[in-house]
Amino acid sequence: MAAGVLARSSPRCFVLMSGMLAVTTSSLRVTAKSAFRASAVRCFALPTAEEMMPGSNEMKARAQGARAKYPDRILSPLEATLFAIEQRAKIVDVRTAAERSTHEINGRKGVAIRGAISLPLNDLVSSKVSVPSGPLLLVCSKGPKSLVALDYFLGEVGCEDEVKVVDGGTTAWDSEGLPTENVVQPDRPVT
């Protein structure tokens, strides 16, 4: 976000304004200490815990919205491989350590894309870790969580770098025979 201000004004809503600060409520009423043009306001919602929970209806709904909003940012595993190579993109796995070690990928647990950086969406949203710069390729187990992350990165964070998602996640990547690795939670072997 080059010339903007991001202000948190309610548990789920932010307003970005060029050079000014605004406050919103969940009903999207806007007030400000200085005048502004309504066209300069963009409102984003942080992902809720339910929207970050694999398999939840809330996650599916937000992922479907992101899919409709950003169709040009969703790549097949082969397109994603080319993007990662050509753009020198960082592959970011947005699953938690527990999800990475326990989710089944084509009948196997503990599978991740080889070389992927583990940056759980939950930690990104709570600011425990920061969003890396440069081109990013987001991935999760089957796709929905990475679509929620895409929506968060492009809307909430205002990421100006190129961000794409692997359609079908690690499962689709692995199905194409692309490189994966086994991951194990530090203190617990995968069974």
Side-chain angles (χ1 to χ4, degrees):
M1 280 179 331
V5 175
L6 187 63
R8 184 173 184 158
S9 58
S10 75
R12 295 199 59 226
C13 195
F14 288 74
V15 173
L16 172 67
M17 299 180 64
S18 182
M20 295 180 223
L21 180 66
V23 179
T24 67
T25 67
S26 58
S27 64
L28 302 182
R29 291 186 315 248
V30 179
T31 61
K33 291 187 178 183
S34 59
F36 62 90
R37 292 180 308 146
S39 63
V41 177
R42 292 172 32 200
C43 188
F44 310 107
L46 284 172
T48 65
E50 292 80 15
E51 290 172 331
M52 294 186 282
M53 185 179 304
S56 72
N57 289 333
E58 293 84 355
M59 175 183 276
K60 291 174 186 173
R62 180 132 183 198
Q64 186 177 17
R67 182 176 289 281
K69 207 180 335 181
Y70 307 112
D72 59 324
R73 295 187 180 260
I74 302 168
L75 305 176
S76 73
L78 296 175
E79 292 169 327
T81 303
L82 288 174
F83 171 74
I85 293 168
E86 291 172 356
Q87 301 298 316
R88 297 182 182 199
K90 295 176 185 96
I91 301 172
V92 177
D93 193 327
V94 298
R95 299 176 290 169
T96 65
E99 291 166 355
R100 283 171 55 108
S101 64
T102 61
H103 283 187
E104 267 196 34
I105 305 295
N106 298 325
R108 300 183 333 268
K109 292 184 180 179
V111 177
I113 292 176
R114 185 175 298 151
I117 302 164
S118 176
L119 293 175
L121 179 58
N122 311 44
D123 291 348
L124 290 161
V125 169
S126 66
S127 299
K128 289 181 183 174
V129 295
S130 59
V131 176
S133 61
L136 303 175
L137 181 60
L138 306 177
V139 67
C140 62
S141 293
K142 296 181 181 168
K145 191 167 196 169
S146 56
L147 285 165
V148 172
L150 176 71
D151 194 42
Y152 171 69
F153 279 29
L154 297 179
E156 181 70 35
V157 176
C159 189
E160 294 179 9
D161 294 316
E162 193 66 32
V163 182
K164 306 277 186 175
V165 171
V166 178
D167 194 19
T170 304
T171 301
W173 181 280
D174 183 62
S175 293
E176 290 290 338
L178 297 168
T180 60
E181 60 190 3
N182 291 324
V183 293
V184 178
Q185 224 174 353
D187 56 349
R188 196 175 87 195
V190 176
T191 57

